Structures are given as structure tokens and as C-alpha cells.
Amino acid sequence: MSYIKSFIDFLSAPTISFTLLTVAFPFIFPPSDYFEKKNRQWGVYKLWTNAGGFWVFVLITLFFIVGYFDPHFNLTMTKPDNIPIILMIYSMYFLTWLGMKKAYANDERLDRGEKPEEWNDPDDKVLVWPDLVYIELIALILFMVALIVWSILIPAPLEEPANPAATPNPSKAPWYFLGLQEMLVYFDPWLAGIVFPMFIIFGMMAIPYMDVNKKGEGYYSFKERRVGYFIFMYGWLVLWVFLIIIGTFFRGPNWNFFGPFEWWDPHKVVPLTNVNLSEYVWVKLLNKGLPVNIIARESVGFVAVIGYLFIMPILLAKTKLKHLYDHYGPVRYATLMLFGLTMFALPIKMYLRWMFNLKYIVAIPEWFFNI
Amino acid sequence: MAKEEKKETLLQRLGESQVWKSIIRSGVPRNRRQRMYAVLGNVFLHLHPARLPKHAVKIGYTWCMGGLSFFLFVVLTITGILLMFYYRPTVEYAYTDIIDLTEQVPLGIMRELHRWGAHAMVLTVWLHMLRVFMTGSYKPPREFNWGVGVLLMTLTMFLSFTGYLLPWDQLAIWAVTVGTNMARAHPFIGHEGPGASLLAIGDINLVHMGSDVRFALLGGRFVGEATLLRFYVLHCIAVPFIAMIFMAVHFWRIRKDGGISGPL
């Protein structure tokens, strides 16, 4: 058992688990024919069958049962404020599974030339009174009963009275913001706490204007919208939900990583060996000191960031993504690239940090401008 | 004649009475026309159309998450009002009032209902968004309503966040300290944000610790008495008010954009 536990501890390190998820993701939500073929070949699509759903459910439950009886994970898991996360894991998984199952069923129907399952004769409608009203009433009552039972069984979290002099370690934001707090490991607060949240909000609002695919409206479907699905689900399930799980369960004192079955050692020492890009270039590569002029010092970083965000999309529009650019037009293409590239900047920075200990691409602490 | 009248049940007679008819003009909905009128003639029910396509009433399609989110908003409003009877937003009383809520107040699960309901609402809103994405319901003509929904989701999280501070325990002030610390790094208007030093007249900084956006949010340089009052007002009045306006737009636009999405 302890071997399995230390293996799970090893697996859940962000470097490992995030990589596994990212590598597996295109096979789970295949965005192209190649991945689609592999998905069929390796039977990944079975995740969305009854059996697949059942076994993943069993695995998650097994993890929580083992975790409950583990002295270390028990503390994290039964913390009253973490209960919604357990609910989140189950409900998010169950409903993603349900939606994908329905999507696959509809894909097959569409392949056979049939209408999707949701389709009905437009003249054959039901009355809201009583057909919808009683469903709403039942849903409402059941939900209220569940909420009351939950409230009776588990008292709301309340810790010691506020004490501005005693900072808890770790200090965590409310659970739904832990994805943002996790981003703070890789980006400065002005990005992780302000710019990225705004980009998430505006980027999500822009989704209907960026997704020009008219198909798949009003019914569950995957095949007709696979690229959109891939991008959205990656952002949603990996960059938001999964980071929340990491932030809740795997981040201990000093925001260090701890496996689920590890003890949260407040004295765990993690060497900080991160180096800025400018130091890499000027000191390590060119063997010079850092230039005094700030712009000159960070020129490489500026070139990298501007190149990534602005030059690369222009080059792509002329070469590989020409068809997309022609199809989308300049404004829509620019919007898609800005939001898309910003989203993928997060995993890119994560890997730069993990592989090269890169601290900042552009480091101007004088102006609080670090990227 | 008189004998036949007595055969009517009490309920039927109530349904025919002047009082009942003045309230619900359509009478007891027995036939198709009356049932449609029951929905059309009711201010709450007429959020719905009178008739729906069959898939729209299937829980497998809608997951009921949008409706439950709204229901939770109502539950949270009611429990929130009850909590306001007992809770005083001052550093002196806040924490002890919370203790009193469980120990002195009869049926003391109002705070539990409010707290767990708030967490549940964040979840149901997220799941509603997931459903809308998976069914492609954000596509034209519903683009605008998706945007309103994204704002509502943000407001839901902000509501939950402002409520987090009110118990005034360690969990509360430190979660809010961590959260609001982000504001000091706001570009231009946070004192540790890029560009803030550009906003200066001569060598006098306009954006400093006592004038930036974090100061405005907290009502001070750290999470304290003024913050508690500010978050209380935001939580109980300001944000619900804004959220209700957006909700009205959201529900109205569902109808105007062609009702619930479905395959053509």
C-alpha cells in the first residue's frame, strides 16, 4: 500500500500530472483525424461508455476512500472548506461524461444520416403547465432536501477569530480562485491576478464570435465541433478545474507541492534556482554583465514576447494558417490569436520553468513589469 | 338545483369564488387553453413560453443547472435576509454573532444553508456553463446571452468572495487578504502594478498605497474594519443588485433569442 501511495504522490506532482494530462488530452478530445484514429485504435472513446464511466467513478471513489483513512490526506480532505471540491470533482466528471456520452450517440446518429436525439417535430410541443412546472418543482424540492441534509450534517467552516498578526501557512484564496493562485507560481500578480482573469472573462465572452462553426447548435455533439471542444475543454478542465484541484489538495506550507499522502512539512526546503532570461543571455551565454539600460537588458525577452504574441500570428496568417485567416478575416483572426496564445502562454511558461528554471522572460522589477 | 350545487367539492367551489378568480383569472387549468393561460397569465411562470419542444423538459438535456442556479440565488437571498437580522458587520461583533447564530438562534442551520448553498451555486453556475458549451447553445443568435452569462458567473464568484470575509475568522481575512493583494498589482491603478509610477505629477506619485484600487476595495491599507463594512454592503446590496439586473436580461434574452436551444 505504501508503495502505491508514494507512487500516487509521485504522479500528482504538477510536473508529472500536468504533463500526463496535457499529453493525453488530444487523445481524449481528439481535435484532428490523426488523434481521432488513435482514439479509436486505443479505445480511449470507451471513457464515455457506461463501463468507462463506472470504472473512473470507482477509481475516484477508491482514491477518496484510501485518502480518508490516510492520516495526512484525511486532514486535507475533511477540511470543511474543501468539501465543495470533492463535490466539484464528482459533478464535473459525471456531467462531462454524460455530455460526451450523448455527444457520441448523436455523432453516430448523424453519421447514419439521422437527426440528433434532441430533435422533435416542431409541431409536437409539450405544455409548460404541467409538463415543465412539475419537473421544476420536483428538482427544486429534491435539491432543497439535499441542501438541508448537507447543512445539518456538516457545520459551516469557522476557524479562530481573525488575527491580522497570525498569517496561516499556507494562506489560500477561496477554492474557486485557487486556479488563479496556482498561476501565481508562474506569473507575477499583475498577470496572474489581474490581466489573465480579465482575459478569461473577455475571452469567454468572445467565444461565440470566434467560433464561426455553425454546426452542433442545440444538441450534444463532438465530431462536428472537435477543435472548439479541444480548446475549450483544455482551458476548462486542465487550466481551470485541474489547477484548482492542485491548489486545494497538493499545495501545502509556503505553497510547496505535497503529494496527497505526504505530511505537510512546514520546513520543507525547495531550492529557488530560477534565473531570468536576461541573465541566461547576457551572463551565461555572452559572459558579460547585465546592461545598465533596462530596455537593452530585457531586449531578448521583449523580442520573445512580442514575437510570440504579435509576429507569430502574422507569419502564421501568411503561411500555415492562411486558410484560417482567409476564412476568419483580420479582426476575428487577431482576437482568436490574442486570446488563444495568451491561454497557451500558461502551459508554455510552466514548462519553461520546469525545464530551464526560467523565472521571468521579461524581468523589470523596477517597473513591476515581469512576464 | 340546490342538490346539484352541494355535489361540488370545496376546492371546486373555491375555484369558482370571486376571490380566487380575482387572483388567478384563468381558473383551475383543466383544458389545454386554460393551461396555456395559466403560464401566460402568471408573472413568475411567464418567464417560460406556454409550450416547449419535447427535449427542453428532459433533464438529460438541460441538467436543470440554470434553473437550480436561480433557485439557489433565491435560497441565498432568503437565508441571507434572515442572517442579516443577527449579524453586525463590525470587527467587535461579527465573529461572536456568527457563534450566536449556531448556539442561540433556533433552527440554527441558516448559516450552513447560506454557506453550502453559496458553494453549490458556484458549482451549478459552472455546470450550467459547461452544458451550454457542450450543446453549442452559445452560437448565434445567442452570442450576447452567453456574454451576459459569463458576467453573471463572474458576479457569482465575486458574491461568494465578498461573503467569505463576513464571518471574520482566520479563514476569512486571509483568503480575502490573498485575493485582494492581487489588486495592488493592477496595471496603472495598483501601487505595485506596472505603469503606476508613470501616473505622477513631478515627483509626486498619484498612485500609492493610500490611493490605489486596493485601497478603494478595502477602505484601508489592510483588511480591517472598513473592509468588513465595504464587503458587507457589496455582498448584501451592491452585487446582488447588479446580478439581478443581469439575470433579468439573461432570462429575457433566452426568450427573445428563440427560447431554449435545440436542433433545427
Side-chain angles (χ1 to χ4, degrees):
Chain A
M1 199 66 201
S2 66
Y3 285 110
I4 300 174
K5 278 186 180 176
S6 45
F7 183 61
I8 294 177
D9 284 342
F10 167 75
L11 278 188
S12 38
T15 35
I16 311 285
S17 55
F18 191 85
T19 308
L20 286 177
L21 256 178
T22 303
V23 172
F25 215 74
F27 297 99
I28 301 173
F29 295 96
S32 71
D33 284 335
Y34 170 79
F35 289 112
E36 178 82 50
K37 218 176 84 189
K38 291 289 173 201
N39 171 297
R40 291 280 148 187
Q41 203 178 334
W42 296 339
V44 185
Y45 65 93
K46 286 185 187 149
L47 269 178
W48 315 121
T49 58
N50 286 341
F54 173 75
W55 283 113
V56 176
F57 175 82
V58 167
L59 272 182
I60 299 176
T61 310
L62 212 63
F63 174 76
F64 281 127
I65 292 174
V66 171
Y68 186 80
F69 291 104
D70 179 88
H72 303 310
F73 194 63
N74 183 284
L75 291 177
T76 329
M77 191 181 146
T78 53
K79 200 168 168 272
D81 218 43
N82 287 349
I83 287 163
I85 319 248
I86 298 172
L87 268 179
M88 177 189 79
I89 292 174
Y90 276 110
S91 57
M92 207 59 79
Y93 173 69
F94 172 69
L95 289 174
T96 309
W97 170 81
L98 182 70
M100 285 306 286
K101 189 184 156 196
K102 285 170 157 288
Y104 270 55
N106 270 342
D107 287 348
E108 279 175 22
R109 291 171 73 102
L110 291 168
D111 279 346
R112 290 198 302 265
E114 294 170 26
K115 296 253 187 197
E117 189 209 346
E118 286 86 356
W119 191 84
N120 292 294
D121 184 5
D123 295 325
D124 183 23
K125 289 192 170 177
V126 290
L127 289 176
V128 164
W129 183 291
D131 293 308
L132 179 60
V133 177
Y134 86 89
I135 293 175
E136 287 177 340
L137 184 70
I138 293 170
L140 205 141
I141 291 172
L142 288 182
F143 198 78
M144 197 64 218
V145 168
L147 192 60
I148 290 174
V149 170
W150 184 8
S151 299
I152 291 174
L153 290 182
I154 306 171
L158 189 68
E159 296 185 354
E160 311 91 80
N163 180 359
T167 316
N169 189 8
S171 294
K172 291 192 180 184
W175 62 273
Y176 37 84
F177 287 150
L178 284 183
L180 300 177
Q181 201 174 353
E182 181 64 21
M183 280 202 268
L184 279 174
V185 177
Y186 308 99
F187 286 103
D188 262 21
W190 77 276
L191 279 170
I194 307 285
V195 175
F196 283 169
M198 283 188 182
F199 266 60
I200 294 172
I201 294 169
F202 289 113
M204 285 195 32
M205 286 168 78
I207 286 176
Y209 307 96
M210 297 189 293
D211 179 5
V212 292
N213 179 2
K214 291 256 187 316
K215 287 181 181 164
E217 178 172 357
Y219 55 92
Y220 292 93
S221 68
F222 176 75
K223 226 180 202 171
E224 294 176 316
R225 305 167 48 203
R226 54 190 186 182
V227 179
Y229 249 81
F230 173 73
I231 298 174
F232 181 86
M233 287 298 191
Y234 187 75
W236 176 242
L237 291 178
V238 179
L239 297 184
W240 187 255
V241 174
F242 183 64
L243 288 190
I244 289 177
I245 296 172
I246 288 188
T248 314
F249 289 148
F250 304 151
R251 289 294 182 181
N254 307 323
W255 208 254
N256 283 328
F257 164 78
F258 292 90
F261 307 118
E262 270 180 81
W263 175 57
W264 282 15
D265 180 2
H267 304 297
K268 178 176 177 174
V269 179
V270 179
L272 291 171
T273 51
N274 298 330
V275 181
N276 294 330
L277 182 64
S278 47
E279 283 157 14
Y280 264 118
V281 173
W282 296 106
V283 181
K284 292 204 174 173
L285 199 69
L286 300 175
N287 264 325
K288 288 193 216 167
L290 288 173
V292 182
N293 185 303
I294 292 173
I295 304 290
R297 186 184 74 199
E298 301 303 329
S299 50
V300 191
F302 276 119
V303 169
V305 171
I306 294 170
Y308 172 73
L309 269 183
F310 302 108
I311 314 280
M312 189 173 77
I314 296 173
L315 292 179
L316 281 174
K318 301 213 161 157
T319 53
K320 232 180 158 198
L321 295 178
K322 195 169 184 329
H323 60 284
L324 187 78
Y325 177 78
D326 294 340
H327 186 48
Y328 267 45
V331 177
R332 197 168 265 137
Y333 177 82
T335 319
L336 180 73
M337 281 296 150
L338 182 65
F339 287 124
L341 289 176
T342 315
M343 176 174 135
F344 284 106
L346 174 63
I348 290 173
K349 183 79 192 278
M350 289 165 99
Y351 280 103
L352 288 175
R353 174 69 56 85
W354 293 336
M355 290 164 78
F356 308 112
N357 288 320
L358 183 77
K359 191 174 182 192
Y360 293 124
I361 299 168
V362 175
I364 314 180
E366 297 91 335
W367 303 342
F368 300 111
F369 188 83
N370 301 313
I371 298 175
Chain B
M1 282 284 280
K3 257 192 175 177
E4 274 179 6
E5 264 177 27
K6 275 191 179 170
K7 272 183 189 168
E8 284 191 338
T9 62
L10 184 68
L11 251 143
Q12 278 170 330
R13 280 178 59 186
L14 266 176
E16 298 297 318
S17 71
Q18 189 189 353
V19 175
W20 180 274
K21 276 185 162 175
S22 71
I23 300 170
I24 298 165
R25 297 203 183 278
S26 57
V28 183
R30 290 204 184 82
N31 56 37
R32 193 177 165 79
R33 198 179 147 275
Q34 281 172 325
R35 282 175 175 171
M36 284 171 73
Y37 197 78
V39 174
L40 292 173
N42 182 303
V43 66
F44 303 109
L45 288 180
H46 97 287
L47 269 178
H48 301 298
R51 298 182 308 145
L52 280 172
K54 273 185 178 162
H55 74 276
V57 299
K58 287 195 179 125
I59 206 154
Y61 180 71
T62 65
W63 302 350
C64 225
M65 284 302 162
L68 285 180
S69 305
F70 179 57
F71 173 63
L72 275 168
F73 182 81
V74 176
V75 170
L76 290 169
T77 309
I78 295 169
T79 52
I81 290 170
L82 291 174
L83 289 173
M84 283 171 82
F85 287 141
Y86 297 97
Y87 174 82
R88 288 164 288 180
T90 60
V91 170
E92 197 180 355
Y93 294 122
Y95 186 78
T96 46
D97 284 348
I98 296 287
I99 302 274
D100 271 6
L101 273 172
T102 34
E103 299 195 345
Q104 310 294 333
V105 180
L107 291 175
I109 60 160
M110 278 310 139
R111 192 171 94 84
E112 273 73 14
L113 281 179
H114 197 77
R115 179 91 178 204
W116 297 133
H119 287 316
M121 185 171 163
V122 173
L123 275 181
T124 54
V125 170
W126 285 3
L127 293 167
H128 176 58
M129 183 204 69
L130 184 65
R131 193 282 291 179
V132 171
F133 177 81
M134 288 186 100
T135 56
S137 305
Y138 58 85
K139 298 189 175 199
R142 297 182 180 81
E143 313 101 304
F144 177 76
N145 219 12
W146 165 272
V148 176
V150 171
L151 289 180
L152 276 169
M153 181 173 75
T154 314
L155 286 173
T156 306
M157 286 193 268
F158 189 60
L159 263 173
S160 185
F161 180 66
T162 47
Y164 224 85
L165 183 67
L166 303 186
W168 203 249
D169 61 341
Q170 282 287 73
L171 196 64
I173 66 157
W174 290 103
V176 171
T177 303
V178 170
T180 51
N181 265 344
M182 298 298 107
R184 65 167 92 215
H186 196 299
F188 298 108
I189 51 174
H191 74 277
E192 282 178 7
S197 52
L198 298 175
L199 300 174
I201 300 170
D203 55 355
I204 302 166
N205 274 331
L206 294 181
V207 179
H208 53 80
M209 213 184 177
S211 73
D212 68 345
V213 62
R214 181 169 170 274
F215 189 90
L217 190 65
L218 297 185
R221 285 157 203 253
F222 51 87
V223 178
E225 179 92 45
T227 318
L228 184 57
L229 184 60
R230 241 161 237 229
F231 272 46
Y232 179 72
V233 175
L234 283 173
H235 184 73
C236 302
I237 310 281
V239 189
F241 174 70
I242 300 166
M244 277 201 299
I245 294 172
F246 276 103
M247 265 189 273
V249 176
H250 197 60
F251 300 154
W252 184 73
R253 279 302 290 251
I254 296 172
R255 294 288 306 279
K256 292 292 147 186
D257 293 340
I260 189 162
S261 63
L264 293 168

